[in-house]
Amino acid sequence: KHLRFCLLPQMPAGNQKVDFLSKASLPLQILLFFNGCYDFLFFGATIGIHIWKGVEFPYPRARYGPEFVLIFAFLFIEIMRLSLGSRGNKTENTGTMVLFLVLSLFSILANVFLSFVQVYVLRLDLVLNVVGIVLVVLQFLLAIFAILRFTAGR
């Protein structure tokens, strides 16, 4: 009798419904995973390109350092953004997802800066950043739909 109690799941008393289905967004989780892989390639290439531009081109010293610091700040923001997005999606936590959306806006701004505003922009810079912008915008839209799905049942 006690063994049977341990093996059978406990069902709620009365007419209470239990939702066993996850509301987490699988497309968002897949995009977050592939964005993490892309970021490894992106930041490696961006740091390498930035060092090369500093050696090969007459880079203004007043801009080289701050742009390099921006790349590392962007890396930190991107790591936090992907971590919060994945955690918020898996736990269906609306607050974490809203923070993910805010960091996504900063990520888009950093991509736009690296695409158009830095001193020397190569075609490779432009391609890498446009792909990054597309990934972040898709994640932003999927996160909004996920938040709406999380809050729909409450």
Side-chain angles (χ1 to χ4, degrees), residues 38-76:
Y38 177 74
D39 280 346
F40 181 75
L41 181 76
F42 172 83
F43 285 106
T46 300
I47 290 168
I49 289 169
H50 199 71
I51 291 170
W52 178 77
K53 287 190 281 190
V55 170
E56 291 294 320
F57 297 117
Y59 223 100
R61 293 290 170 213
R63 293 280 307 263
Y64 186 76
E67 285 183 8
F68 211 76
V69 169
L70 173 75
I71 293 170
F72 282 102
F74 180 29
L75 173 63
F76 177 73

PDB file of all heavy atoms in Angstrom, residues 38-76:
ATOM      1  N   TYR A  38      26.695  31.460 -32.545  1.00  0.00           N
ATOM      2  CA  TYR A  38      27.059  32.550 -33.448  1.00  0.00           C
ATOM      3  C   TYR A  38      27.892  33.612 -32.719  1.00  0.00           C
ATOM      4  O   TYR A  38      28.836  34.153 -33.293  1.00  0.00           O
ATOM      5  CB  TYR A  38      25.803  33.184 -34.046  1.00  0.00           C
ATOM      6  CG  TYR A  38      26.116  34.358 -34.934  1.00  0.00           C
ATOM      7  CD1 TYR A  38      26.657  34.166 -36.192  1.00  0.00           C
ATOM      8  CD2 TYR A  38      25.900  35.657 -34.501  1.00  0.00           C
ATOM      9  CE1 TYR A  38      26.967  35.239 -37.002  1.00  0.00           C
ATOM     10  CE2 TYR A  38      26.209  36.739 -35.303  1.00  0.00           C
ATOM     11  CZ  TYR A  38      26.738  36.522 -36.555  1.00  0.00           C
ATOM     12  OH  TYR A  38      27.058  37.591 -37.344  1.00  0.00           O
ATOM     13  N   ASP A  39      27.541  33.897 -31.470  1.00  0.00           N
ATOM     14  CA  ASP A  39      28.287  34.900 -30.708  1.00  0.00           C
ATOM     15  C   ASP A  39      29.745  34.499 -30.508  1.00  0.00           C
ATOM     16  O   ASP A  39      30.635  35.348 -30.517  1.00  0.00           O
ATOM     17  CB  ASP A  39      27.628  35.153 -29.351  1.00  0.00           C
ATOM     18  CG  ASP A  39      26.444  36.080 -29.461  1.00  0.00           C
ATOM     19  OD1 ASP A  39      26.278  36.728 -30.502  1.00  0.00           O
ATOM     20  OD2 ASP A  39      25.681  36.156 -28.486  1.00  0.00           O
ATOM     21  N   PHE A  40      30.001  33.208 -30.334  1.00  0.00           N
ATOM     22  CA  PHE A  40      31.376  32.739 -30.207  1.00  0.00           C
ATOM     23  C   PHE A  40      32.161  33.119 -31.464  1.00  0.00           C
ATOM     24  O   PHE A  40      33.258  33.683 -31.388  1.00  0.00           O
ATOM     25  CB  PHE A  40      31.377  31.225 -29.990  1.00  0.00           C
ATOM     26  CG  PHE A  40      32.738  30.633 -29.817  1.00  0.00           C
ATOM     27  CD1 PHE A  40      33.431  30.800 -28.633  1.00  0.00           C
ATOM     28  CD2 PHE A  40      33.320  29.911 -30.839  1.00  0.00           C
ATOM     29  CE1 PHE A  40      34.692  30.259 -28.465  1.00  0.00           C
ATOM     30  CE2 PHE A  40      34.579  29.367 -30.690  1.00  0.00           C
ATOM     31  CZ  PHE A  40      35.267  29.538 -29.496  1.00  0.00           C
ATOM     32  N   LEU A  41      31.583  32.851 -32.621  1.00  0.00           N
ATOM     33  CA  LEU A  41      32.204  33.209 -33.896  1.00  0.00           C
ATOM     34  C   LEU A  41      32.272  34.724 -34.076  1.00  0.00           C
ATOM     35  O   LEU A  41      33.301  35.277 -34.470  1.00  0.00           O
ATOM     36  CB  LEU A  41      31.405  32.576 -35.039  1.00  0.00           C
ATOM     37  CG  LEU A  41      31.890  32.814 -36.447  1.00  0.00           C
ATOM     38  CD1 LEU A  41      33.111  31.945 -36.712  1.00  0.00           C
ATOM     39  CD2 LEU A  41      30.797  32.478 -37.437  1.00  0.00           C
ATOM     40  N   PHE A  42      31.171  35.409 -33.750  1.00  0.00           N
ATOM     41  CA  PHE A  42      31.068  36.851 -33.937  1.00  0.00           C
ATOM     42  C   PHE A  42      32.126  37.606 -33.136  1.00  0.00           C
ATOM     43  O   PHE A  42      32.838  38.459 -33.667  1.00  0.00           O
ATOM     44  CB  PHE A  42      29.663  37.327 -33.538  1.00  0.00           C
ATOM     45  CG  PHE A  42      29.508  38.819 -33.514  1.00  0.00           C
ATOM     46  CD1 PHE A  42      29.246  39.520 -34.677  1.00  0.00           C
ATOM     47  CD2 PHE A  42      29.617  39.526 -32.328  1.00  0.00           C
ATOM     48  CE1 PHE A  42      29.107  40.895 -34.667  1.00  0.00           C
ATOM     49  CE2 PHE A  42      29.485  40.907 -32.301  1.00  0.00           C
ATOM     50  CZ  PHE A  42      29.224  41.583 -33.478  1.00  0.00           C
ATOM     51  N   PHE A  43      32.231  37.311 -31.846  1.00  0.00           N
ATOM     52  CA  PHE A  43      33.165  38.062 -31.008  1.00  0.00           C
ATOM     53  C   PHE A  43      34.618  37.714 -31.321  1.00  0.00           C
ATOM     54  O   PHE A  43      35.489  38.579 -31.262  1.00  0.00           O
ATOM     55  CB  PHE A  43      32.843  37.893 -29.525  1.00  0.00           C
ATOM     56  CG  PHE A  43      31.647  38.684 -29.115  1.00  0.00           C
ATOM     57  CD1 PHE A  43      30.441  38.065 -28.859  1.00  0.00           C
ATOM     58  CD2 PHE A  43      31.706  40.058 -29.030  1.00  0.00           C
ATOM     59  CE1 PHE A  43      29.326  38.800 -28.499  1.00  0.00           C
ATOM     60  CE2 PHE A  43      30.599  40.810 -28.675  1.00  0.00           C
ATOM     61  CZ  PHE A  43      29.407  40.172 -28.414  1.00  0.00           C
ATOM     62  N   GLY A  44      34.883  36.478 -31.677  1.00  0.00           N
ATOM     63  CA  GLY A  44      36.232  36.130 -32.106  1.00  0.00           C
ATOM     64  C   GLY A  44      36.629  36.909 -33.349  1.00  0.00           C
ATOM     65  O   GLY A  44      37.725  37.492 -33.422  1.00  0.00           O
ATOM     66  N   ALA A  45      35.736  36.947 -34.333  1.00  0.00           N
ATOM     67  CA  ALA A  45      36.009  37.683 -35.572  1.00  0.00           C
ATOM     68  C   ALA A  45      36.075  39.183 -35.318  1.00  0.00           C
ATOM     69  O   ALA A  45      36.967  39.866 -35.839  1.00  0.00           O
ATOM     70  CB  ALA A  45      34.940  37.362 -36.616  1.00  0.00           C
ATOM     71  N   THR A  46      35.166  39.715 -34.524  1.00  0.00           N
ATOM     72  CA  THR A  46      35.118  41.156 -34.285  1.00  0.00           C
ATOM     73  C   THR A  46      36.371  41.636 -33.543  1.00  0.00           C
ATOM     74  O   THR A  46      36.943  42.679 -33.894  1.00  0.00           O
ATOM     75  CB  THR A  46      33.851  41.527 -33.493  1.00  0.00           C
ATOM     76  OG1 THR A  46      32.710  41.127 -34.258  1.00  0.00           O
ATOM     77  CG2 THR A  46      33.772  43.010 -33.233  1.00  0.00           C
ATOM     78  N   ILE A  47      36.807  40.898 -32.544  1.00  0.00           N
ATOM     79  CA  ILE A  47      38.015  41.289 -31.812  1.00  0.00           C
ATOM     80  C   ILE A  47      39.237  41.201 -32.737  1.00  0.00           C
ATOM     81  O   ILE A  47      40.072  42.107 -32.765  1.00  0.00           O
ATOM     82  CB  ILE A  47      38.181  40.427 -30.543  1.00  0.00           C
ATOM     83  CG1 ILE A  47      37.097  40.792 -29.531  1.00  0.00           C
ATOM     84  CG2 ILE A  47      39.570  40.602 -29.928  1.00  0.00           C
ATOM     85  CD1 ILE A  47      36.963  39.827 -28.371  1.00  0.00           C
ATOM     86  N   GLY A  48      39.306  40.128 -33.518  1.00  0.00           N
ATOM     87  CA  GLY A  48      40.414  39.990 -34.462  1.00  0.00           C
ATOM     88  C   GLY A  48      40.433  41.089 -35.509  1.00  0.00           C
ATOM     89  O   GLY A  48      41.491  41.668 -35.808  1.00  0.00           O
ATOM     90  N   ILE A  49      39.277  41.412 -36.055  1.00  0.00           N
ATOM     91  CA  ILE A  49      39.174  42.477 -37.058  1.00  0.00           C
ATOM     92  C   ILE A  49      39.545  43.821 -36.443  1.00  0.00           C
ATOM     93  O   ILE A  49      40.239  44.632 -37.068  1.00  0.00           O
ATOM     94  CB  ILE A  49      37.748  42.517 -37.655  1.00  0.00           C
ATOM     95  CG1 ILE A  49      37.507  41.305 -38.542  1.00  0.00           C
ATOM     96  CG2 ILE A  49      37.511  43.800 -38.439  1.00  0.00           C
ATOM     97  CD1 ILE A  49      36.056  41.123 -38.946  1.00  0.00           C
ATOM     98  N   HIS A  50      39.097  44.065 -35.221  1.00  0.00           N
ATOM     99  CA  HIS A  50      39.385  45.350 -34.573  1.00  0.00           C
ATOM    100  C   HIS A  50      40.888  45.508 -34.315  1.00  0.00           C
ATOM    101  O   HIS A  50      41.438  46.600 -34.509  1.00  0.00           O
ATOM    102  CB  HIS A  50      38.587  45.489 -33.281  1.00  0.00           C
ATOM    103  CG  HIS A  50      38.469  46.888 -32.800  1.00  0.00           C
ATOM    104  ND1 HIS A  50      37.696  47.820 -33.448  1.00  0.00           N
ATOM    105  CD2 HIS A  50      39.043  47.533 -31.758  1.00  0.00           C
ATOM    106  CE1 HIS A  50      37.792  48.979 -32.813  1.00  0.00           C
ATOM    107  NE2 HIS A  50      38.610  48.821 -31.778  1.00  0.00           N
ATOM    108  N   ILE A  51      41.534  44.439 -33.893  1.00  0.00           N
ATOM    109  CA  ILE A  51      42.996  44.499 -33.699  1.00  0.00           C
ATOM    110  C   ILE A  51      43.678  44.755 -35.045  1.00  0.00           C
ATOM    111  O   ILE A  51      44.585  45.587 -35.148  1.00  0.00           O
ATOM    112  CB  ILE A  51      43.507  43.203 -33.036  1.00  0.00           C
ATOM    113  CG1 ILE A  51      43.014  43.125 -31.592  1.00  0.00           C
ATOM    114  CG2 ILE A  51      45.031  43.124 -33.092  1.00  0.00           C
ATOM    115  CD1 ILE A  51      43.260  41.792 -30.912  1.00  0.00           C
ATOM    116  N   TRP A  52      43.243  44.053 -36.085  1.00  0.00           N
ATOM    117  CA  TRP A  52      43.824  44.240 -37.420  1.00  0.00           C
ATOM    118  C   TRP A  52      43.627  45.672 -37.912  1.00  0.00           C
ATOM    119  O   TRP A  52      44.551  46.267 -38.464  1.00  0.00           O
ATOM    120  CB  TRP A  52      43.201  43.243 -38.395  1.00  0.00           C
ATOM    121  CG  TRP A  52      43.686  43.393 -39.794  1.00  0.00           C
ATOM    122  CD1 TRP A  52      44.887  42.968 -40.291  1.00  0.00           C
ATOM    123  CD2 TRP A  52      42.995  44.036 -40.865  1.00  0.00           C
ATOM    124  NE1 TRP A  52      44.980  43.293 -41.616  1.00  0.00           N
ATOM    125  CE2 TRP A  52      43.824  43.950 -42.000  1.00  0.00           C
ATOM    126  CE3 TRP A  52      41.754  44.650 -40.984  1.00  0.00           C
ATOM    127  CZ2 TRP A  52      43.460  44.473 -43.226  1.00  0.00           C
ATOM    128  CZ3 TRP A  52      41.395  45.168 -42.208  1.00  0.00           C
ATOM    129  CH2 TRP A  52      42.237  45.084 -43.308  1.00  0.00           C
ATOM    130  N   LYS A  53      42.436  46.227 -37.698  1.00  0.00           N
ATOM    131  CA  LYS A  53      42.188  47.609 -38.128  1.00  0.00           C
ATOM    132  C   LYS A  53      43.093  48.579 -37.373  1.00  0.00           C
ATOM    133  O   LYS A  53      43.562  49.561 -37.938  1.00  0.00           O
ATOM    134  CB  LYS A  53      40.715  47.996 -37.915  1.00  0.00           C
ATOM    135  CG  LYS A  53      39.778  47.338 -38.905  1.00  0.00           C
ATOM    136  CD  LYS A  53      38.379  47.901 -38.837  1.00  0.00           C
ATOM    137  CE  LYS A  53      37.593  47.364 -37.700  1.00  0.00           C
ATOM    138  NZ  LYS A  53      36.168  47.723 -37.746  1.00  0.00           N
ATOM    139  N   GLY A  54      43.354  48.313 -36.107  1.00  0.00           N
ATOM    140  CA  GLY A  54      44.235  49.179 -35.330  1.00  0.00           C
ATOM    141  C   GLY A  54      45.669  49.146 -35.814  1.00  0.00           C
ATOM    142  O   GLY A  54      46.388  50.139 -35.707  1.00  0.00           O
ATOM    143  N   VAL A  55      46.087  48.014 -36.370  1.00  0.00           N
ATOM    144  CA  VAL A  55      47.454  47.878 -36.873  1.00  0.00           C
ATOM    145  C   VAL A  55      47.578  48.434 -38.298  1.00  0.00           C
ATOM    146  O   VAL A  55      48.538  49.131 -38.619  1.00  0.00           O
ATOM    147  CB  VAL A  55      47.889  46.389 -36.828  1.00  0.00           C
ATOM    148  CG1 VAL A  55      49.205  46.180 -37.563  1.00  0.00           C
ATOM    149  CG2 VAL A  55      47.975  45.901 -35.401  1.00  0.00           C
ATOM    150  N   GLU A  56      46.599  48.159 -39.136  1.00  0.00           N
ATOM    151  CA  GLU A  56      46.698  48.473 -40.567  1.00  0.00           C
ATOM    152  C   GLU A  56      46.220  49.876 -40.946  1.00  0.00           C
ATOM    153  O   GLU A  56      46.657  50.410 -41.960  1.00  0.00           O
ATOM    154  CB  GLU A  56      45.911  47.443 -41.385  1.00  0.00           C
ATOM    155  CG  GLU A  56      46.524  46.074 -41.370  1.00  0.00           C
ATOM    156  CD  GLU A  56      47.875  46.018 -42.058  1.00  0.00           C
ATOM    157  OE1 GLU A  56      48.044  46.660 -43.118  1.00  0.00           O
ATOM    158  OE2 GLU A  56      48.772  45.338 -41.524  1.00  0.00           O
ATOM    159  N   PHE A  57      45.307  50.439 -40.196  1.00  0.00           N
ATOM    160  CA  PHE A  57      44.729  51.733 -40.569  1.00  0.00           C
ATOM    161  C   PHE A  57      45.152  52.809 -39.574  1.00  0.00           C
ATOM    162  O   PHE A  57      45.425  52.522 -38.413  1.00  0.00           O
ATOM    163  CB  PHE A  57      43.196  51.653 -40.613  1.00  0.00           C
ATOM    164  CG  PHE A  57      42.673  50.706 -41.647  1.00  0.00           C
ATOM    165  CD1 PHE A  57      41.943  49.582 -41.295  1.00  0.00           C
ATOM    166  CD2 PHE A  57      42.901  50.929 -42.998  1.00  0.00           C
ATOM    167  CE1 PHE A  57      41.449  48.715 -42.237  1.00  0.00           C
ATOM    168  CE2 PHE A  57      42.416  50.059 -43.959  1.00  0.00           C
ATOM    169  CZ  PHE A  57      41.692  48.945 -43.586  1.00  0.00           C
ATOM    170  N   PRO A  58      45.170  54.051 -40.035  1.00  0.00           N
ATOM    171  CA  PRO A  58      45.497  55.155 -39.109  1.00  0.00           C
ATOM    172  C   PRO A  58      44.313  55.440 -38.182  1.00  0.00           C
ATOM    173  O   PRO A  58      43.513  56.342 -38.410  1.00  0.00           O
ATOM    174  CB  PRO A  58      45.788  56.331 -40.047  1.00  0.00           C
ATOM    175  CG  PRO A  58      45.016  56.023 -41.285  1.00  0.00           C
ATOM    176  CD  PRO A  58      44.981  54.531 -41.405  1.00  0.00           C
ATOM    177  N   TYR A  59      44.183  54.632 -37.160  1.00  0.00           N
ATOM    178  CA  TYR A  59      43.045  54.714 -36.236  1.00  0.00           C
ATOM    179  C   TYR A  59      43.263  55.839 -35.240  1.00  0.00           C
ATOM    180  O   TYR A  59      44.318  55.911 -34.617  1.00  0.00           O
ATOM    181  CB  TYR A  59      42.912  53.391 -35.473  1.00  0.00           C
ATOM    182  CG  TYR A  59      41.503  52.893 -35.339  1.00  0.00           C
ATOM    183  CD1 TYR A  59      41.013  51.912 -36.176  1.00  0.00           C
ATOM    184  CD2 TYR A  59      40.665  53.391 -34.356  1.00  0.00           C
ATOM    185  CE1 TYR A  59      39.728  51.433 -36.043  1.00  0.00           C
ATOM    186  CE2 TYR A  59      39.382  52.938 -34.215  1.00  0.00           C
ATOM    187  CZ  TYR A  59      38.914  51.952 -35.064  1.00  0.00           C
ATOM    188  OH  TYR A  59      37.647  51.498 -34.927  1.00  0.00           O
ATOM    189  N   PRO A  60      42.290  56.716 -35.058  1.00  0.00           N
ATOM    190  CA  PRO A  60      42.424  57.760 -34.027  1.00  0.00           C
ATOM    191  C   PRO A  60      42.517  57.109 -32.637  1.00  0.00           C
ATOM    192  O   PRO A  60      41.666  56.318 -32.266  1.00  0.00           O
ATOM    193  CB  PRO A  60      41.142  58.577 -34.147  1.00  0.00           C
ATOM    194  CG  PRO A  60      40.514  58.177 -35.428  1.00  0.00           C
ATOM    195  CD  PRO A  60      41.042  56.835 -35.798  1.00  0.00           C
ATOM    196  N   ARG A  61      43.573  57.431 -31.912  1.00  0.00           N
ATOM    197  CA  ARG A  61      43.798  56.818 -30.593  1.00  0.00           C
ATOM    198  C   ARG A  61      42.659  57.100 -29.617  1.00  0.00           C
ATOM    199  O   ARG A  61      42.377  56.298 -28.736  1.00  0.00           O
ATOM    200  CB  ARG A  61      45.120  57.294 -30.004  1.00  0.00           C
ATOM    201  CG  ARG A  61      46.311  56.824 -30.758  1.00  0.00           C
ATOM    202  CD  ARG A  61      46.494  55.333 -30.587  1.00  0.00           C
ATOM    203  NE  ARG A  61      47.518  54.848 -31.504  1.00  0.00           N
ATOM    204  CZ  ARG A  61      47.510  53.666 -32.067  1.00  0.00           C
ATOM    205  NH1 ARG A  61      46.547  52.824 -31.807  1.00  0.00           N
ATOM    206  NH2 ARG A  61      48.465  53.294 -32.877  1.00  0.00           N
ATOM    207  N   ALA A  62      42.006  58.228 -29.780  1.00  0.00           N
ATOM    208  CA  ALA A  62      40.905  58.579 -28.874  1.00  0.00           C
ATOM    209  C   ALA A  62      39.689  57.688 -29.105  1.00  0.00           C
ATOM    210  O   ALA A  62      38.815  57.600 -28.237  1.00  0.00           O
ATOM    211  CB  ALA A  62      40.522  60.046 -29.057  1.00  0.00           C
ATOM    212  N   ARG A  63      39.593  57.028 -30.262  1.00  0.00           N
ATOM    213  CA  ARG A  63      38.432  56.188 -30.557  1.00  0.00           C
ATOM    214  C   ARG A  63      38.730  54.695 -30.444  1.00  0.00           C
ATOM    215  O   ARG A  63      37.827  53.892 -30.234  1.00  0.00           O
ATOM    216  CB  ARG A  63      37.929  56.474 -31.989  1.00  0.00           C
ATOM    217  CG  ARG A  63      37.351  57.835 -32.223  1.00  0.00           C
ATOM    218  CD  ARG A  63      35.915  58.010 -31.765  1.00  0.00           C
ATOM    219  NE  ARG A  63      34.967  57.055 -32.256  1.00  0.00           N
ATOM    220  CZ  ARG A  63      34.167  57.229 -33.296  1.00  0.00           C
ATOM    221  NH1 ARG A  63      34.228  58.326 -33.996  1.00  0.00           N
ATOM    222  NH2 ARG A  63      33.312  56.297 -33.643  1.00  0.00           N
ATOM    223  N   TYR A  64      40.004  54.304 -30.639  1.00  0.00           N
ATOM    224  CA  TYR A  64      40.344  52.879 -30.667  1.00  0.00           C
ATOM    225  C   TYR A  64      40.038  52.198 -29.332  1.00  0.00           C
ATOM    226  O   TYR A  64      39.386  51.153 -29.298  1.00  0.00           O
ATOM    227  CB  TYR A  64      41.821  52.690 -31.031  1.00  0.00           C
ATOM    228  CG  TYR A  64      42.206  51.244 -31.223  1.00  0.00           C
ATOM    229  CD1 TYR A  64      41.847  50.570 -32.372  1.00  0.00           C
ATOM    230  CD2 TYR A  64      42.924  50.553 -30.238  1.00  0.00           C
ATOM    231  CE1 TYR A  64      42.191  49.241 -32.554  1.00  0.00           C
ATOM    232  CE2 TYR A  64      43.270  49.228 -30.416  1.00  0.00           C
ATOM    233  CZ  TYR A  64      42.904  48.578 -31.577  1.00  0.00           C
ATOM    234  OH  TYR A  64      43.233  47.261 -31.749  1.00  0.00           O
ATOM    235  N   GLY A  65      40.492  52.769 -28.249  1.00  0.00           N
ATOM    236  CA  GLY A  65      40.264  52.186 -26.918  1.00  0.00           C
ATOM    237  C   GLY A  65      38.793  52.080 -26.550  1.00  0.00           C
ATOM    238  O   GLY A  65      38.325  51.001 -26.151  1.00  0.00           O
ATOM    239  N   PRO A  66      38.030  53.192 -26.668  1.00  0.00           N
ATOM    240  CA  PRO A  66      36.607  53.100 -26.327  1.00  0.00           C
ATOM    241  C   PRO A  66      35.833  52.097 -27.192  1.00  0.00           C
ATOM    242  O   PRO A  66      34.940  51.415 -26.691  1.00  0.00           O
ATOM    243  CB  PRO A  66      36.093  54.521 -26.547  1.00  0.00           C
ATOM    244  CG  PRO A  66      37.287  55.381 -26.332  1.00  0.00           C
ATOM    245  CD  PRO A  66      38.453  54.580 -26.850  1.00  0.00           C
ATOM    246  N   GLU A  67      36.187  51.979 -28.474  1.00  0.00           N
ATOM    247  CA  GLU A  67      35.503  50.994 -29.315  1.00  0.00           C
ATOM    248  C   GLU A  67      35.849  49.570 -28.880  1.00  0.00           C
ATOM    249  O   GLU A  67      34.996  48.690 -28.917  1.00  0.00           O
ATOM    250  CB  GLU A  67      35.859  51.212 -30.792  1.00  0.00           C
ATOM    251  CG  GLU A  67      35.161  52.409 -31.390  1.00  0.00           C
ATOM    252  CD  GLU A  67      35.453  52.592 -32.874  1.00  0.00           C
ATOM    253  OE1 GLU A  67      36.087  51.703 -33.482  1.00  0.00           O
ATOM    254  OE2 GLU A  67      35.030  53.616 -33.418  1.00  0.00           O
ATOM    255  N   PHE A  68      37.109  49.373 -28.463  1.00  0.00           N
ATOM    256  CA  PHE A  68      37.512  48.057 -27.978  1.00  0.00           C
ATOM    257  C   PHE A  68      36.779  47.716 -26.682  1.00  0.00           C
ATOM    258  O   PHE A  68      36.326  46.583 -26.493  1.00  0.00           O
ATOM    259  CB  PHE A  68      39.034  48.038 -27.769  1.00  0.00           C
ATOM    260  CG  PHE A  68      39.642  46.700 -28.003  1.00  0.00           C
ATOM    261  CD1 PHE A  68      39.827  46.220 -29.276  1.00  0.00           C
ATOM    262  CD2 PHE A  68      40.039  45.905 -26.936  1.00  0.00           C
ATOM    263  CE1 PHE A  68      40.395  44.977 -29.505  1.00  0.00           C
ATOM    264  CE2 PHE A  68      40.602  44.668 -27.142  1.00  0.00           C
ATOM    265  CZ  PHE A  68      40.781  44.199 -28.430  1.00  0.00           C
ATOM    266  N   VAL A  69      36.650  48.699 -25.802  1.00  0.00           N
ATOM    267  CA  VAL A  69      35.912  48.489 -24.544  1.00  0.00           C
ATOM    268  C   VAL A  69      34.437  48.188 -24.843  1.00  0.00           C
ATOM    269  O   VAL A  69      33.825  47.337 -24.191  1.00  0.00           O
ATOM    270  CB  VAL A  69      36.056  49.721 -23.621  1.00  0.00           C
ATOM    271  CG1 VAL A  69      35.099  49.655 -22.451  1.00  0.00           C
ATOM    272  CG2 VAL A  69      37.493  49.842 -23.129  1.00  0.00           C
ATOM    273  N   LEU A  70      33.878  48.861 -25.848  1.00  0.00           N
ATOM    274  CA  LEU A  70      32.485  48.609 -26.229  1.00  0.00           C
ATOM    275  C   LEU A  70      32.289  47.160 -26.673  1.00  0.00           C
ATOM    276  O   LEU A  70      31.284  46.539 -26.325  1.00  0.00           O
ATOM    277  CB  LEU A  70      32.048  49.554 -27.352  1.00  0.00           C
ATOM    278  CG  LEU A  70      30.665  49.241 -27.926  1.00  0.00           C
ATOM    279  CD1 LEU A  70      29.582  49.680 -26.965  1.00  0.00           C
ATOM    280  CD2 LEU A  70      30.483  49.859 -29.275  1.00  0.00           C
ATOM    281  N   ILE A  71      33.248  46.633 -27.405  1.00  0.00           N
ATOM    282  CA  ILE A  71      33.131  45.243 -27.856  1.00  0.00           C
ATOM    283  C   ILE A  71      33.065  44.297 -26.656  1.00  0.00           C
ATOM    284  O   ILE A  71      32.230  43.383 -26.612  1.00  0.00           O
ATOM    285  CB  ILE A  71      34.295  44.879 -28.798  1.00  0.00           C
ATOM    286  CG1 ILE A  71      34.181  45.659 -30.105  1.00  0.00           C
ATOM    287  CG2 ILE A  71      34.334  43.376 -29.069  1.00  0.00           C
ATOM    288  CD1 ILE A  71      35.385  45.562 -31.007  1.00  0.00           C
ATOM    289  N   PHE A  72      33.907  44.524 -25.646  1.00  0.00           N
ATOM    290  CA  PHE A  72      33.889  43.652 -24.470  1.00  0.00           C
ATOM    291  C   PHE A  72      32.653  43.886 -23.603  1.00  0.00           C
ATOM    292  O   PHE A  72      32.115  42.946 -23.009  1.00  0.00           O
ATOM    293  CB  PHE A  72      35.179  43.806 -23.662  1.00  0.00           C
ATOM    294  CG  PHE A  72      36.320  43.066 -24.286  1.00  0.00           C
ATOM    295  CD1 PHE A  72      37.275  43.743 -25.026  1.00  0.00           C
ATOM    296  CD2 PHE A  72      36.428  41.695 -24.158  1.00  0.00           C
ATOM    297  CE1 PHE A  72      38.325  43.058 -25.621  1.00  0.00           C
ATOM    298  CE2 PHE A  72      37.469  40.998 -24.748  1.00  0.00           C
ATOM    299  CZ  PHE A  72      38.422  41.688 -25.487  1.00  0.00           C
ATOM    300  N   ALA A  73      32.167  45.126 -23.536  1.00  0.00           N
ATOM    301  CA  ALA A  73      30.906  45.391 -22.823  1.00  0.00           C
ATOM    302  C   ALA A  73      29.750  44.701 -23.539  1.00  0.00           C
ATOM    303  O   ALA A  73      28.856  44.132 -22.898  1.00  0.00           O
ATOM    304  CB  ALA A  73      30.667  46.894 -22.729  1.00  0.00           C
ATOM    305  N   PHE A  74      29.782  44.749 -24.867  1.00  0.00           N
ATOM    306  CA  PHE A  74      28.763  44.074 -25.669  1.00  0.00           C
ATOM    307  C   PHE A  74      28.808  42.568 -25.421  1.00  0.00           C
ATOM    308  O   PHE A  74      27.767  41.918 -25.300  1.00  0.00           O
ATOM    309  CB  PHE A  74      28.969  44.423 -27.143  1.00  0.00           C
ATOM    310  CG  PHE A  74      27.992  43.812 -28.098  1.00  0.00           C
ATOM    311  CD1 PHE A  74      26.699  43.500 -27.729  1.00  0.00           C
ATOM    312  CD2 PHE A  74      28.362  43.570 -29.408  1.00  0.00           C
ATOM    313  CE1 PHE A  74      25.803  42.949 -28.626  1.00  0.00           C
ATOM    314  CE2 PHE A  74      27.480  43.026 -30.311  1.00  0.00           C
ATOM    315  CZ  PHE A  74      26.202  42.704 -29.918  1.00  0.00           C
ATOM    316  N   LEU A  75      30.001  42.006 -25.334  1.00  0.00           N
ATOM    317  CA  LEU A  75      30.149  40.575 -25.039  1.00  0.00           C
ATOM    318  C   LEU A  75      29.512  40.237 -23.693  1.00  0.00           C
ATOM    319  O   LEU A  75      28.764  39.263 -23.574  1.00  0.00           O
ATOM    320  CB  LEU A  75      31.635  40.195 -25.045  1.00  0.00           C
ATOM    321  CG  LEU A  75      31.990  38.779 -24.594  1.00  0.00           C
ATOM    322  CD1 LEU A  75      31.395  37.748 -25.528  1.00  0.00           C
ATOM    323  CD2 LEU A  75      33.500  38.620 -24.534  1.00  0.00           C
ATOM    324  N   PHE A  76      29.772  41.052 -22.677  1.00  0.00           N
ATOM    325  CA  PHE A  76      29.190  40.823 -21.351  1.00  0.00           C
ATOM    326  C   PHE A  76      27.664  40.922 -21.401  1.00  0.00           C
ATOM    327  O   PHE A  76      26.952  40.072 -20.849  1.00  0.00           O
ATOM    328  CB  PHE A  76      29.762  41.834 -20.350  1.00  0.00           C
ATOM    329  CG  PHE A  76      29.170  41.721 -18.983  1.00  0.00           C
ATOM    330  CD1 PHE A  76      29.506  40.661 -18.153  1.00  0.00           C
ATOM    331  CD2 PHE A  76      28.261  42.659 -18.529  1.00  0.00           C
ATOM    332  CE1 PHE A  76      28.951  40.547 -16.886  1.00  0.00           C
ATOM    333  CE2 PHE A  76      27.698  42.552 -17.271  1.00  0.00           C
ATOM    334  CZ  PHE A  76      28.041  41.486 -16.445  1.00  0.00           C
TER     335      PHE A  76
END
